[in-house]
Amino acid sequence: MNTKVKELISSLKRRASEAKEQSQNNVLDLVNGMYYDDIPEEAKEEIAKVPQGLQRGLFEGMALGYEKIV
């Protein structure tokens, strides 16, 4: 049980770190640069319209949530 809790905490900390890192990048860059070739162009256009500040807030909020869970 202890091991599982430690693994969960480690996973959440890693996710928080990744979310903080992602908040510094544009989501469209992530979509275009990774394995998201199946995403329709219309969806990519919608993502491009989302202001960078809102994208940053999304990932910073996720990071904060993960930290609070830990």
Side-chain angles (χ1 to χ4, degrees), residues 19-44:
K20 284 180 185 178
E21 228 175 85
Q22 178 56 42
S23 74
Q24 303 303 315
N25 301 319
N26 190 323
V27 175
L28 190 59
D29 294 339
L30 176 69
V31 168
N32 286 329
M34 298 199 62
Y35 52 89
Y36 296 105
D37 294 334
D38 296 335
I39 295 176
E41 287 302 316
E42 296 169 342
K44 289 180 181 181

Side-chain angles (χ1 to χ4, degrees), residues 5-6 9-10 12 18 21 27 29 41 59 62 69-70:
V5 171
K6 287 179 182 179
I9 290 171
S10 175
L12 290 171
E18 290 169 357
E21 228 175 85
V27 175
D29 294 339
E41 287 302 316
F59 287 102
M62 289 169 50
I69 292 170
V70 171

Side-chain angles (χ1 to χ4, degrees), residues 42-57:
E42 296 169 342
K44 289 180 181 181
E45 290 172 8
E46 288 296 316
I47 291 171
K49 292 178 185 176
V50 176
Q52 183 67 26
L54 292 179
Q55 295 175 20
R56 177 173 289 128

